[in-house]
Amino acid sequence: MPAKKQKATSPADTESQPWLHQQSREIQRFGTIRQFPVALSMDARMYSCERLNQVLADTQILYALYKKHHWLMRGPTFYQLHLLLDKHAGEQIELVDSLAERVQTLGGIAVGDPRHVAELTRVPRPPDGAEEVPAMLSRLLEAHEIVLTEAHDAAARAAEMGDDGTNDLLVSDIIRTGELQAWFLAEHLVETPLVRTNEPVKAGANGRR
Protein backbone atom coordinates (compact mmCIF):
# COMPACT_ATOMS: atom_id res chain seq x y z
CA MET A 1 0.00 0.00 0.00
CA PRO A 2 1.24 3.51 -0.73
CA ALA A 3 2.34 5.50 2.33
CA LYS A 4 -0.28 7.83 3.72
CA LYS A 5 0.38 11.49 3.18
CA GLN A 6 1.02 13.46 6.33
CA LYS A 7 -1.65 16.05 7.02
CA ALA A 8 -0.70 19.67 7.22
CA THR A 9 -0.66 21.10 10.73
CA SER A 10 -4.02 22.67 11.51
CA PRO A 11 -4.47 25.87 13.52
CA ALA A 12 -5.79 23.78 16.42
CA ASP A 13 -2.64 21.66 16.42
CA THR A 14 -0.49 24.77 16.42
CA GLU A 15 -2.37 26.23 19.37
CA SER A 16 -1.87 23.09 21.44
CA GLN A 17 1.85 22.82 20.72
CA PRO A 18 3.95 23.76 23.77
CA TRP A 19 6.54 26.48 23.24
CA LEU A 20 9.75 24.66 24.13
CA HIS A 21 13.30 25.81 24.93
CA GLN A 22 12.28 29.27 26.05
CA GLN A 23 14.76 31.53 27.81
CA SER A 24 14.35 34.73 29.75
CA ARG A 25 16.36 37.44 31.36
CA GLU A 26 16.56 37.32 35.16
CA ILE A 27 13.59 39.32 36.41
CA GLN A 28 14.70 39.40 40.07
CA ARG A 29 18.22 38.82 41.31
CA PHE A 30 18.97 36.67 44.33
CA GLY A 31 19.57 38.84 47.39
CA THR A 32 17.02 41.48 46.38
CA ILE A 33 13.46 41.97 47.63
CA ARG A 34 10.28 43.31 46.11
CA GLN A 35 7.98 45.76 47.83
CA PHE A 36 5.09 43.89 49.44
CA PRO A 37 2.31 45.34 51.67
CA VAL A 38 3.16 43.21 54.72
CA ALA A 39 3.68 46.07 57.21
CA LEU A 40 7.42 45.46 57.56
CA SER A 41 10.23 47.80 56.64
CA MET A 42 12.49 47.12 53.69
CA ASP A 43 15.45 46.69 56.06
CA ALA A 44 13.60 44.16 58.21
CA ARG A 45 12.51 42.11 55.22
CA MET A 46 15.95 42.21 53.62
CA TYR A 47 17.59 41.08 56.85
CA SER A 48 15.08 38.29 57.44
CA CYS A 49 15.43 36.98 53.89
CA GLU A 50 19.19 36.80 54.25
CA ARG A 51 19.00 34.90 57.54
CA LEU A 52 16.17 32.65 56.35
CA ASN A 53 18.12 31.71 53.22
CA GLN A 54 21.06 30.63 55.38
CA VAL A 55 18.79 28.42 57.49
CA LEU A 56 17.12 27.21 54.29
CA ALA A 57 20.41 26.20 52.67
CA ASP A 58 21.57 24.34 55.79
CA THR A 59 18.17 22.67 56.20
CA GLN A 60 18.24 21.43 52.61
CA ILE A 61 21.63 19.84 53.28
CA LEU A 62 20.35 18.38 56.56
CA TYR A 63 17.44 16.85 54.65
CA ALA A 64 19.84 15.38 52.07
CA LEU A 65 22.03 13.95 54.85
CA TYR A 66 19.00 12.31 56.42
CA LYS A 67 18.09 10.65 53.13
CA LYS A 68 21.69 9.57 52.46
CA HIS A 69 22.09 8.05 55.93
CA HIS A 70 18.61 6.52 55.78
CA TRP A 71 19.76 4.57 52.72
CA LEU A 72 23.17 3.66 54.19
CA MET A 73 22.05 2.44 57.62
CA ARG A 74 23.26 -1.03 58.60
CA GLY A 75 23.76 -3.28 61.61
CA PRO A 76 21.45 -4.53 64.41
CA THR A 77 19.50 -1.24 64.59
CA PHE A 78 19.07 -0.95 60.82
CA TYR A 79 15.28 -1.22 60.79
CA GLN A 80 14.63 1.26 63.61
CA LEU A 81 17.09 3.86 62.33
CA HIS A 82 16.11 3.36 58.69
CA LEU A 83 12.54 4.31 59.60
CA LEU A 84 13.46 7.06 62.06
CA LEU A 85 15.79 8.85 59.67
CA ASP A 86 13.21 8.71 56.89
CA LYS A 87 10.59 10.16 59.25
CA HIS A 88 12.95 12.99 60.19
CA ALA A 89 13.72 13.60 56.52
CA GLY A 90 10.02 13.98 55.79
CA GLU A 91 9.69 16.55 58.56
CA GLN A 92 12.76 18.44 57.32
CA ILE A 93 11.47 18.70 53.74
CA GLU A 94 8.31 20.32 55.11
CA LEU A 95 10.51 22.86 56.90
CA VAL A 96 12.35 23.53 53.64
CA ASP A 97 9.07 24.46 51.99
CA SER A 98 7.99 26.65 54.92
CA LEU A 99 11.30 28.53 54.93
CA ALA A 100 11.22 29.07 51.17
CA GLU A 101 7.65 30.33 51.23
CA ARG A 102 8.51 32.75 54.07
CA VAL A 103 11.33 34.22 51.98
CA GLN A 104 8.94 34.63 49.06
CA THR A 105 6.28 36.15 51.33
CA LEU A 106 8.78 38.82 52.34
CA GLY A 107 9.51 39.62 48.69
CA GLY A 108 12.82 37.80 48.40
CA ILE A 109 14.18 34.90 46.38
CA ALA A 110 14.50 31.53 48.13
CA VAL A 111 17.66 29.55 47.45
CA GLY A 112 16.62 26.44 45.56
CA ASP A 113 19.22 25.16 43.11
CA PRO A 114 21.31 22.45 44.86
CA ARG A 115 24.50 23.94 43.41
CA HIS A 116 23.64 27.31 44.95
CA VAL A 117 22.73 25.61 48.22
CA ALA A 118 26.17 23.97 48.28
CA GLU A 119 27.79 27.40 47.98
CA LEU A 120 25.87 28.81 50.94
CA THR A 121 25.66 25.96 53.44
CA ARG A 122 27.84 25.80 56.54
CA VAL A 123 27.23 22.07 57.03
CA PRO A 124 30.45 20.16 56.23
CA ARG A 125 30.36 17.79 53.27
CA PRO A 126 30.34 14.09 54.24
CA PRO A 127 32.35 11.40 52.46
CA ASP A 128 30.73 10.12 49.29
CA GLY A 129 30.76 6.59 50.70
CA ALA A 130 29.36 5.09 53.89
CA GLU A 131 30.61 5.79 57.40
CA GLU A 132 30.05 3.71 60.52
CA VAL A 133 26.60 4.23 62.00
CA PRO A 134 27.71 6.26 65.08
CA ALA A 135 29.64 8.62 62.80
CA MET A 136 26.61 9.13 60.56
CA LEU A 137 24.40 9.90 63.57
CA SER A 138 27.01 12.28 64.95
CA ARG A 139 27.20 14.04 61.60
CA LEU A 140 23.43 14.56 61.67
CA LEU A 141 23.63 15.95 65.19
CA GLU A 142 26.36 18.40 64.19
CA ALA A 143 24.24 19.57 61.25
CA HIS A 144 21.28 20.04 63.60
CA GLU A 145 23.39 22.17 65.91
CA ILE A 146 24.50 24.37 63.02
CA VAL A 147 20.88 24.93 62.00
CA LEU A 148 19.73 25.51 65.58
CA THR A 149 22.52 27.99 66.34
CA GLU A 150 21.64 30.03 63.26
CA ALA A 151 17.90 29.78 63.94
CA HIS A 152 18.19 30.93 67.57
CA ASP A 153 20.17 34.02 66.64
CA ALA A 154 18.06 34.82 63.59
CA ALA A 155 14.82 34.46 65.57
CA ALA A 156 15.99 36.88 68.25
CA ARG A 157 17.16 39.45 65.70
CA ALA A 158 13.96 39.12 63.65
CA ALA A 159 11.91 39.79 66.78
CA GLU A 160 14.00 42.91 67.50
CA MET A 161 13.23 44.18 63.99
CA GLY A 162 9.49 43.54 64.39
CA ASP A 163 9.31 40.51 62.09
CA ASP A 164 7.06 38.35 64.25
CA GLY A 165 6.22 35.96 61.41
CA THR A 166 9.85 35.01 60.83
CA ASN A 167 10.44 34.72 64.57
CA ASP A 168 7.43 32.42 64.92
CA LEU A 169 8.51 30.19 62.04
CA LEU A 170 12.03 29.84 63.38
CA VAL A 171 10.97 29.19 66.97
CA SER A 172 7.80 27.15 66.52
CA ASP A 173 8.91 25.05 63.55
CA ILE A 174 12.67 25.06 62.94
CA ILE A 175 13.90 25.13 66.54
CA ARG A 176 11.28 22.90 68.14
CA THR A 177 11.45 20.29 65.38
CA GLY A 178 15.25 20.37 65.36
CA GLU A 179 15.53 20.01 69.13
CA LEU A 180 13.16 17.04 69.17
CA GLN A 181 14.95 15.29 66.31
CA ALA A 182 18.34 15.90 67.94
CA TRP A 183 17.07 14.30 71.14
CA PHE A 184 15.92 11.19 69.26
CA LEU A 185 19.29 10.88 67.54
CA ALA A 186 21.42 11.54 70.62
CA GLU A 187 19.69 8.81 72.62
CA HIS A 188 20.87 6.28 70.02
CA LEU A 189 24.46 7.14 70.91
CA VAL A 190 24.13 6.24 74.59
CA GLU A 191 26.03 3.06 75.38
CA THR A 192 23.66 1.35 77.77
CA PRO A 193 22.87 -2.33 78.49
CA LEU A 194 19.81 -3.76 76.79
CA VAL A 195 18.95 -6.71 79.03
CA ARG A 196 20.74 -6.47 82.39
CA THR A 197 22.88 -3.89 84.14
CA ASN A 198 26.66 -4.04 84.09
CA GLU A 199 27.04 -3.94 87.88
CA PRO A 200 24.84 -5.18 90.74
CA VAL A 201 23.21 -2.56 92.96
CA LYS A 202 25.28 -2.07 96.13
CA ALA A 203 23.62 -2.64 99.50
CA GLY A 204 22.56 0.53 101.28
CA ALA A 205 23.04 1.52 104.92
CA ASN A 206 19.90 -0.39 105.88
CA GLY A 207 21.26 -3.56 104.33
CA ARG A 208 18.69 -3.62 101.55
CA ARG A 209 19.67 -3.91 97.93
Side-chain angles (χ1 to χ4, degrees), residues 148-161:
L148 288 169
T149 299
E150 180 72 18
H152 277 294
D153 185 68
R157 293 296 303 276
E160 291 173 3
M161 300 186 77

Side-chain angles (χ1 to χ4, degrees), residues 50-69:
E50 181 181 348
R51 300 300 299 271
L52 286 166
N53 265 322
Q54 183 62 61
V55 177
L56 175 57
D58 293 335
T59 300
Q60 289 184 70
I61 295 298
L62 177 56
Y63 162 74
L65 280 178
Y66 263 119
K67 292 301 291 186
K68 172 183 169 68
H69 294 159

Side-chain angles (χ1 to χ4, degrees), residues 151-187:
H152 277 294
D153 185 68
R157 293 296 303 276
E160 291 173 3
M161 300 186 77
D163 187 353
D164 299 322
T166 295
N167 172 271
D168 179 61
L169 170 63
L170 292 171
V171 173
S172 300
D173 296 337
I174 307 303
I175 293 175
R176 289 180 180 170
T177 300
E179 289 175 341
L180 190 64
Q181 290 187 350
W183 171 42
F184 273 62
L185 291 179
E187 294 294 2

Side-chain angles (χ1 to χ4, degrees), residues 90-179:
E91 293 166 352
Q92 286 296 323
I93 200 63
E94 290 183 6
L95 296 180
V96 166
D97 203 45
S98 296
L99 286 163
E101 289 182 352
R102 181 63 189 169
V103 173
Q104 297 301 132
T105 299
L106 295 174
I109 295 288
V111 56
D113 190 300
R115 292 158 294 191
H116 191 186
V117 170
E119 294 172 358
L120 296 182
T121 186
R122 296 172 183 171
V123 178
R125 178 174 176 170
D128 291 336
E131 298 176 283
E132 293 179 333
V133 172
M136 287 192 280
L137 296 182
S138 293
R139 190 176 292 281
L140 286 168
L141 283 169
E142 290 164 6
H144 268 297
E145 192 163 24
I146 289 170
V147 171
L148 288 169
T149 299
E150 180 72 18
H152 277 294
D153 185 68
R157 293 296 303 276
E160 291 173 3
M161 300 186 77
D163 187 353
D164 299 322
T166 295
N167 172 271
D168 179 61
L169 170 63
L170 292 171
V171 173
S172 300
D173 296 337
I174 307 303
I175 293 175
R176 289 180 180 170
T177 300
E179 289 175 341

